[in-house]
């Protein structure tokens, strides 16, 4: 056989392989191009609807006064969950620094392997004490706490009864469990009772509600919920992310506000809002439940433990609240000052006497434009629109902090009046 013939015989299958490879590459790129086209169409739809959510860049620490990239001078911040101003409290910050130096940046592991330190146990004990419950378990976030609870607690013979406006993390957590699901109308005790009757054949029944509904500032009718739960033999769960630290005489939350701390069985909450503002969530409740969560809760078992600096900050925040209720009590007057002044100016403010004060506008584009104009006047607020809130119910959610002064509040109201008149919201 000649060399030329041998090369020809050898190269024929190679060319076939290369041609096949080129065809596969072309198909791959075509699939990618098609996927990107689908994504761009979806993004264009969001922009056209006026519901695009841009992210402003803050160049300073969190607080009532911040620096915002692209804006000049001091900006008033009325859009943070930093209800007690503890995210930049000197003692809280120093506690985080001390924890970083003593315990390091992180554990590089999950809790049950080599990710638990004395710091974590200390915080869990203090949170259980704060809420007056038997035990506590920490998570990377309250979203994880909600994702990890229902699947462990409830099985196919059980039922969960959930308020229709509960937080997305609760909805997702319930989806993971196999219990029968009943959704009752928002804060409607009559409808809840009907669902409790329907579910009487279940082994366990759990009534699930936000203590405070974050988009509206509504406070759940917790006493009535507990009355019905006891009447029909159900357990009660509350998500306290927007209540822990400042609702109730001692800031213990919605259950303290209504005098039902001993009638609410399970509480989930966050370290990422009033309690230091960094990250982390937790469940407090009966020790048997907490023990079971440590054995079976997937977000706990498969997520790294909370970083020591976060834990250190949170410990100090809880210690400050255990020592005094002064910060929590300062919230009421400031909240009502803003709500009353805005209502007198002609704005519609949703919710009740809670530091979440949604300025209802309806139109998504209007909410976005007004928020941009407020920033030009030195006030940081954000327009909320679908899918964060229902279509047609866009708003600017204002959040009052204990760190805000009366002057800060009055300046913000004046900016709203100026912007509201410009856009025809008020006369």
């Amino acid at each position: 056989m000649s060399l030329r013939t041998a090369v020809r015989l050898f190269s024929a299958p190679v060319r076939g392989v290369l041609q096949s490879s080129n065809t596969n590459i072309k198909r791959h790129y075509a699939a990618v191009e098609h996927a990107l086209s689908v994504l761009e169409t979806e993004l264009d739809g969001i922009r056209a609807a006026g519901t695009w959510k841009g992210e402003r860049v803050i160049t300073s620490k969190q607080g009532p006064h911040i620096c915002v990239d692209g804006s000049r001078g001091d900006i008033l911040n009325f859009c943070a969950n930093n209800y007690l101003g503890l995210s930049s409290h000197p003692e809280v910050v120093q506690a985080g620094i001390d924890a970083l130096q003593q315990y390091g940046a992180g554990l590089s592991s999950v809790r049950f392997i080599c990710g638990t330190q004395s710091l974590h146990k200390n915080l869990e004990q203090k949170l259980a004490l704060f809420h007056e419950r038997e035990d506590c378990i920490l998570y990377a976030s309250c979203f994880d706490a909600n994702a990890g609870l229902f699947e462990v607690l409830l099985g196919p013979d059980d039922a969960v009864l959930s308020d229709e406006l509960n937080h997305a993390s609760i909805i997702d957590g319930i989806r993971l469990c196999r219990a029968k699901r009943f959704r009752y109308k928002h804060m409607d005790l009559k409808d809840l009772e009907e669902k409790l009757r329907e579910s009487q054949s279940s082994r366990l029944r759990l009534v699930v509600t936000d203590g405070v509904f974050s988009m509206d500032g509504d406070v759940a009718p917790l006493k009535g919920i507990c009355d019905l739960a006891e009447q029909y033999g159900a357990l009660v769960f509350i998500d306290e992310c927007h209540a822990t630290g400042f609702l109730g005489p001692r800031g213990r939350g919605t259950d303290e506000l209504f005098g039902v701390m001993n009638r609410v069985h399970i509480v989930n909450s966050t370290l990422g809002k009033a309690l230091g503002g960094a990250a982390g969530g937790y469940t407090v409740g009966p020790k048997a439940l907490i023990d079971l969560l440590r054995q079976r809760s997937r977000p706990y078992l498969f997520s790294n433990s909370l970083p020591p600096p976060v834990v250190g900050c949170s410990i100090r925040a809880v210690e400050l609240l255990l020592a005094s209720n002064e910060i929590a009590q300062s919230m009421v007057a400031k909240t009502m000052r803003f709500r009353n002044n805005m209502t007198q100016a002609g704005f519609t403010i949703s919710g009740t006497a809670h530091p979440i004060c949604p300025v209802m506008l309806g139109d998504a584009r209007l909410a976005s434009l007004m928020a941009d104009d407020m920033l030009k006047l030195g006030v940081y607020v954000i327009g909320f629109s679908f899918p964060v809130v229902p279509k047609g119910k866009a708003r600017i959610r204002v959040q009052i902090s204990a760190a805000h002064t009366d002057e800060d509040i009055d300046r913000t109201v004046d900016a709203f009046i100026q912007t509201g008149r410009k856009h025809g919201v008020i006369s």
Side-chain angles (χ1 to χ4, degrees):
M1 180 186 298
S2 68
L3 180 60
R4 181 177 298 175
T5 302
V7 169
R8 187 172 64 249
L9 291 173
F10 175 76
S11 62
V14 173
R15 282 197 301 270
V17 171
L18 291 175
Q19 288 171 354
S20 175
S21 177
N22 287 336
T23 300
N24 289 338
I25 290 172
K26 289 177 181 178
R27 286 175 180 167
H28 169 73
Y29 281 122
V32 172
E33 288 296 326
H34 176 66
L36 291 176
S37 175
V38 170
L39 296 177
E40 287 297 339
T41 299
E42 190 73 18
L43 292 172
D44 289 342
I46 295 173
R47 294 186 186 97
T51 58
W52 183 266
K53 296 161 189 65
E55 295 184 1
R56 297 169 179 168
V57 177
I58 297 174
T59 59
S60 63
K61 62 185 177 183
Q62 180 65 276
H65 297 252
I66 56 176
C67 297
V68 180
D69 188 32
S71 298
R72 297 177 61 184
D74 178 74
I75 304 295
L76 279 175
N77 185 9
F78 274 82
C79 196
N81 297 317
N82 184 26
Y83 293 108
L84 300 175
L86 295 181
S87 64
S88 54
H89 190 288
E91 293 183 37
V92 172
V93 173
Q94 186 59 50
I97 294 171
D98 294 342
L100 177 63
Q101 292 177 335
Q102 182 175 352
Y103 292 95
L107 277 298
S108 307
S109 188
V110 299
R111 287 280 297 270
F112 81 94
I113 298 177
C114 58
T116 297
Q117 292 174 319
S118 56
L119 205 64
H120 298 97
K121 302 306 293 183
N122 185 1
L123 178 56
E124 287 172 336
Q125 290 166 6
K126 281 185 166 56
L127 287 168
L129 176 64
F130 182 82
H131 286 280
E132 299 179 6
R133 282 0 189 245
E134 288 183 355
D135 205 354
C136 172
I137 180 173
L138 294 174
Y139 287 89
S141 68
C142 191
F143 202 112
D144 279 347
N146 286 338
L149 172 69
F150 305 106
E151 183 181 21
V152 173
L153 179 62
L154 303 174
D157 297 328
D158 305 317
V160 57
L161 303 94
S162 178
D163 188 293
E164 64 180 352
L165 293 188
N166 276 337
H167 191 268
S169 60
I170 293 177
I171 295 170
D172 286 356
I174 289 173
R175 284 174 179 160
L176 293 172
C177 79
R178 294 181 294 164
K180 294 181 283 293
R181 304 166 195 171
F182 297 84
R183 189 172 69 169
Y184 64 91
K185 296 175 184 176
H186 182 47
M187 301 200 308
D188 189 327
L189 294 178
K190 184 177 180 181
D191 193 43
L192 172 58
E193 183 171 17
E194 183 178 325
K195 299 298 190 295
L196 283 165
R197 289 197 189 101
E198 290 179 29
S199 61
Q200 285 188 94
S201 62
S202 301
R203 182 189 64 162
L204 294 177
R205 285 177 294 170
L206 181 67
V207 180
V208 175
T209 182
D210 281 344
V212 174
F213 294 85
S214 61
M215 290 299 109
D216 298 286
D218 291 338
V219 182
L222 206 51
K223 186 178 184 304
I225 289 173
C226 289
D227 290 343
L228 286 173
E230 289 172 3
Q231 180 181 344
Y232 289 92
L235 301 172
V236 178
F237 162 95
I238 55 174
D239 179 312
E240 286 288 81
C241 286
H242 292 274
T244 298
F246 56 93
L247 275 196
R250 299 171 300 156
R252 298 305 190 261
T254 313
D255 52 353
E256 184 189 45
L257 179 69
F258 289 107
V260 293
M261 290 186 74
N262 62 336
R263 301 170 68 191
V264 173
H265 307 96
I266 307 167
V267 176
N268 277 10
S269 194
T270 182
L271 305 170
K273 294 181 172 57
L275 301 185
Y282 58 90
T283 299
V284 293
K287 188 178 187 307
L289 170 64
I290 303 305
D291 286 345
L292 187 59
L293 290 174
R294 291 193 195 280
Q295 300 303 311
R296 293 185 178 172
S297 182
R298 291 165 68 85
Y300 177 81
L301 290 170
F302 296 101
S303 297
N304 269 22
S305 56
L306 278 176
V310 172
V311 180
C313 288
S314 299
I315 288 174
R316 189 62 191 133
V318 175
E319 287 174 345
L320 289 171
L321 297 179
L322 285 168
S324 171
N325 62 359
E326 183 179 351
I327 305 176
Q329 289 182 336
S330 72
M331 295 291 294
V332 178
K334 294 178 180 181
T335 296
M336 296 316 299
R337 184 183 187 94
F338 179 82
R339 283 183 169 272
N340 292 338
N341 289 350
M342 287 289 286
T343 301
Q344 290 172 9
F347 290 98
T348 300
I349 310 298
S350 181
T352 53
H354 189 277
I356 292 175
C357 305
V359 182
M360 304 303 294
L361 299 169
D363 182 73
R365 196 178 302 277
L366 172 62
S368 180
L369 290 173
M370 279 190 62
D372 289 342
D373 285 345
M374 290 288 289
L375 184 59
K376 294 173 185 175
L377 295 175
V379 179
Y380 187 112
V381 289
I382 294 291
F384 283 60
S385 57
F386 181 83
V388 180
V389 296
K391 289 182 178 179
K393 294 188 177 181
R395 67 203 65 183
I396 291 176
R397 189 182 72 174
V398 175
Q399 290 165 276
I400 309 300
S401 167
H404 288 130
T405 66
D406 288 348
E407 182 183 358
D408 293 338
I409 293 171
D410 293 344
R411 179 179 152 194
T412 299
V413 171
D414 289 342
F416 263 110
I417 291 172
Q418 183 176 335
T419 306
R421 286 173 178 166
K422 173 183 174 180
H423 292 277
V425 176
I426 59 172
S427 56

